[in-house]
C-alpha cells in the first residue's frame, strides 16, 4: 500500500514546492518520460484528447491482479506526457484495487474535491490544473485509460 509516512512526506513536499521546481519536475517527465516504449504483447488502450490532440497508447501487463508493467508511447503535450510518465512510475507493481483507489484519489485531486492525500506522490504538481478544463483532461488522459484497462481486464 502507498499509504505510508514516506508517501505523505513526498506529497507534502511536492504540494509545497516552489512553482519553478514544479515546472522543472513536469518538464523532466515531459522531456525524459519514464516507461516510454512499445510492448506489443501487453493489453493496450488508446487515449486521445480532442481538446489538445494528445494521442497516447497505454500498454499494461497484469499478472495475478498486479500491474507488473505499464508503459506508453505516442505524441502528447507536456502535461499529458508528464502525467503518463508519473502514472507509470506510481502504479507499477500495485494490485488492481490499490491502483483504482489511487486513480480515484488523483481524479478527485484534479477536480478539487476531498481526496486521500496519502495516495498522491509527485503527481501532486497537477493539483491546480482544474482551473483549465483542457489541462485537466491532459493531466487525466493516461490515468483514465489505465482505469479502463483495470476495469475491463477483470
Amino acid at each position: 500500500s502507498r499509504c505510508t509516512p514516506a508517501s505523505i512526506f513526498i506529497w507534502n513536499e511536492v504540494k509545497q514546492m516552489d512553482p519553478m521546481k514544479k515546472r522543472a519536475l513536469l518538464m523532466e517527465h515531459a522531456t525524459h518520460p519514464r516507461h516510454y516504449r512499445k510492448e506489443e504483447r501487453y493489453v493496450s488502450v488508446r487515449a486521445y484528447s480532442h481538446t489538445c490532440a494528445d494521442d497516447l497508447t497505454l500498454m499494461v501487463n497484469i499478472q495475478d491482479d498486479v500491474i507488473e508493467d505499464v508503459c506508453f508511447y505516442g505524441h502528447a503535450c507536456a502535461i499529458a506526457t508528464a502525467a503518463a510518465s508519473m502514472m507509470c512510475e506510481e502504479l507499477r507493481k500495485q494490485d488492481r484495487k490499490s491502483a483504482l483507489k489511487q486513480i480515484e484519489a488523483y481524479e478527485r485531486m484534479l477536480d478539487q474535491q476531498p481526496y486521500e492525500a496519502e495516495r498522491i506522490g509527485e503527481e501532486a504538481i497537477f493539483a491546480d490544473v482544474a482551473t483549465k478544463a483542457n489541462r485537466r483532461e491532459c493531466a487525466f488522459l493516461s490515468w483514465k485509460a489505465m482505469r479502463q484497462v483495470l476495469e475491463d481486464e477483470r
Side-chain angles (χ1 to χ4, degrees):
S1 172
R2 290 198 16 80
C3 303
T4 65
S7 64
I8 293 169
F9 173 77
I10 291 168
W11 178 84
N12 283 328
E13 183 178 283
V14 173
K15 185 75 172 159
Q16 296 171 13
M17 189 182 287
D18 174 85
M20 293 307 289
K21 287 184 180 179
K22 285 183 184 180
R23 181 178 175 82
L25 179 59
L26 183 141
M27 293 310 297
E28 171 61 25
H29 277 274
T31 57
H32 304 289
R34 292 12 165 223
H35 310 283
Y36 186 84
R37 67 183 192 282
K38 291 182 183 181
E39 290 291 349
E40 301 295 336
R41 65 187 193 273
Y42 293 176
V43 172
S44 67
V45 63
R46 183 174 176 215
Y48 179 77
S49 166
H50 297 285
T51 61
C52 195
D54 299 322
D55 191 0
L56 297 174
T57 300
L58 182 70
M59 290 145 290
V60 186
N61 179 18
I62 300 173
Q63 298 294 323
D64 298 323
D65 225 31
V66 173
I67 302 166
E68 288 297 326
D69 192 22
V70 57
C71 56
F72 71 102
Y73 74 96
H75 303 284
C77 69
I79 291 174
T81 301
S85 176
M86 290 178 192
M87 182 205 65
C88 291
E89 288 283 287
E90 291 290 325
L91 299 184
R92 282 183 78 240
K93 304 301 181 187
Q94 284 196 35
D95 64 63
R96 182 186 314 268
K97 184 177 177 181
S98 180
L100 285 168
K101 285 182 179 182
Q102 187 166 353
I103 293 167
E104 178 185 3
Y106 179 69
E107 183 175 28
R108 292 182 64 80
M109 179 196 74
L110 291 177
D111 292 337
Q112 297 183 333
Q113 297 177 1
Y115 62 95
E116 295 178 68
E118 64 273 8
R119 293 193 173 275
I120 304 297
E122 286 183 329
E123 64 273 18
I125 66 170
F126 299 112
D128 299 324
V129 301
T131 58
K132 303 275 194 259
N134 61 327
R135 289 185 179 169
R136 188 256 186 233
E137 185 175 346
C138 297
F140 194 59
L141 186 67
S142 58
W143 294 75
K144 182 178 178 181
M146 176 61 94
R147 181 172 59 199
Q148 179 184 339
V149 168
L150 293 173
E151 290 175 348
D152 289 351
E153 289 298 310
R154 289 181 182 239

